[in-house]
Amino acid sequence: MDQEDRIALFLDYENLALGARDHHGGRAFDFRPIADALAERGRVVVRRAYADWSYFDEDRRMLTRSHVELIEIPQRMGASRKNAADIKMAVDAVELAFERGYISTFVICTGDSDFTPLVHKLRELNKRVIGVGVEKSTSALLPPACDEFLYYDRLEGVDVLPVRGRRGRPARAAEPQQAEAVEQEQERPPAAEEPVRDADALAVLVAQTVAGLQGSSDGEVTASRLKRTLLRKDPTFSESDYGFRTFGELLRHLAGLNVVELAEGPAKGDPEVSLPEHGDQEVAFALLRSVVADLAGSGGPVALSGLKNQLRRARPEFSEKKLGYRSFLQFCKAAATANEVALAWSADADDYLLTPRQG
């Protein structure tokens, strides 16, 4: 238990509940998916939700059953209920950060960018911050400020319904043609789930990250370290968006594609991750050497500009980024270091020129 993260959970409840209802077809907010997601990340020792609870009677019962402390922010004449809730929640979070040193992680459930300074302050106090928000009502400023950001819509157990618009006054009776159009609209099947993200983009992201970690330190790159780095690059990163149940399953898939190699790590279930030293890289170097030799035979040294397109004509799936290189020039320099080609800058051509290796 001593190694578990202690988590403090703060919910800007009005922001979450209204966001869920507006963008989930009127469906009520469900706290359980958030609780389940946090249970996988540590031990939640504080649970607080802030709102004027006279507006959320049914929700209050649901949260009480989940042992959430309800902080009442009553609406007063001439005062902003929203600002009062925001200030109270921010003050409580900072106070807890100072008074409870054993709390290592703060979870701020809101999509409001007004909480960005709070996130920065908590991280300044050496606390890990996880954000949670409804995707379509979350400010673009908030997720990058967090160590990790979970979209409520993507959590296990959240069923997203087609949006039917905000609740309001009943509409007047529609004209026959309008009624027919509305009926046809309602009969349309629900929108398909969000498509799985591009697998090639995933391979590029992981390969570049592993290459960067290998180049910036002497220590081994473990799966846990790689996952933390990916989250620092993109706090919304989740292997489930690519169709994988666990990060280990994602790594095994990439290992099968020869994007990375896995070896036994310092701890069970935390393998060491590295880029293949042979295989695809040797094939790519051989491809470069072959293309440069063909082009050089017909016209002398080959300019770097446009060379990548020539490689893709011969091998459409070629990508230096899948091999961990940040640019095509970096890839060519590595090939030159491996004595596959000669690479030199030409002031006359204002470009790098490549020639096939001699002998």
Side-chain angles (χ1 to χ4, degrees), residues 90-286:
V91 169
D92 286 357
V94 173
E95 182 181 43
L96 202 65
F98 280 106
E99 292 185 349
R100 304 289 187 267
Y102 56 82
I103 295 179
S104 57
T105 301
F106 282 74
V107 179
I108 308 299
C109 297
T110 184
D112 193 342
S113 62
D114 289 350
F115 285 97
T116 304
L118 170 62
V119 172
H120 289 313
K121 177 56 66 175
L122 291 172
R123 295 185 68 184
E124 183 181 325
L125 295 172
N126 197 29
K127 305 298 182 182
R128 184 167 184 260
V129 181
I130 300 174
V132 182
V134 177
E135 188 163 8
K136 291 184 179 180
S137 62
T138 294
S139 167
L141 299 175
L142 189 59
C146 302
D147 293 295
E148 181 179 5
F149 198 91
L150 306 175
Y151 285 118
Y152 171 76
D153 323 56
R154 302 181 188 177
L155 294 179
E156 185 70 27
V158 177
D159 296 324
V160 180
L161 297 176
V163 177
R164 295 174 183 169
R166 296 172 180 252
R167 291 182 177 179
R169 295 179 179 178
R172 291 181 299 176
E175 298 295 331
Q177 292 181 348
Q178 292 177 328
E180 183 178 353
V182 171
E183 184 178 353
Q184 290 177 353
E185 179 69 22
Q186 292 176 343
E187 289 177 355
R188 291 180 181 176
E193 294 183 0
E194 181 183 357
V196 176
R197 293 187 182 182
D198 185 9
D200 285 343
L202 170 64
V204 168
L205 174 64
V206 172
Q208 284 185 322
T209 304
V210 173
L213 290 172
Q214 288 180 330
S216 62
S217 65
D218 296 329
E220 68 276 359
V221 180
T222 61
S224 57
R225 183 184 175 197
L226 175 60
K227 177 68 178 289
R228 290 195 299 270
T229 306
L230 290 172
L231 284 171
R232 283 196 289 269
K233 286 186 172 184
D234 178 9
T236 67
F237 172 84
S238 173
E239 57 273 6
S240 63
D241 291 340
Y242 297 91
F244 298 98
R245 293 169 295 178
T246 64
F247 190 62
E249 183 180 327
L250 181 154
L251 290 178
R252 289 191 292 274
H253 171 76
L254 294 180
L257 297 176
N258 206 32
V259 174
V260 297
E261 288 183 346
L262 302 180
E264 185 175 350
K268 184 178 180 181
D270 192 14
E272 182 178 343
V273 187
S274 61
L275 293 177
E277 296 183 1
H278 304 288
D280 278 2
Q281 179 169 278
E282 286 190 345
V283 172
F285 283 169

Side-chain angles (χ1 to χ4, degrees), residues 279-296 302 307-320 323 328 331-332 335 338-341 354-357:
D280 278 2
Q281 179 169 278
E282 286 190 345
V283 172
F285 283 169
L287 173 67
L288 175 65
R289 183 178 67 246
S290 173
V291 171
V292 169
D294 289 344
L295 295 174
V302 179
L307 180 57
K308 183 174 178 179
N309 290 335
Q310 298 294 331
L311 266 66
R312 284 184 166 171
R313 288 181 182 178
R315 185 182 175 191
E317 69 276 12
F318 170 80
S319 171
E320 76 280 356
L323 300 172
F328 184 64
F331 166 74
C332 291
N339 200 31
E340 298 290 342
V341 295
L354 293 86
T355 53
R357 64 178 179 178

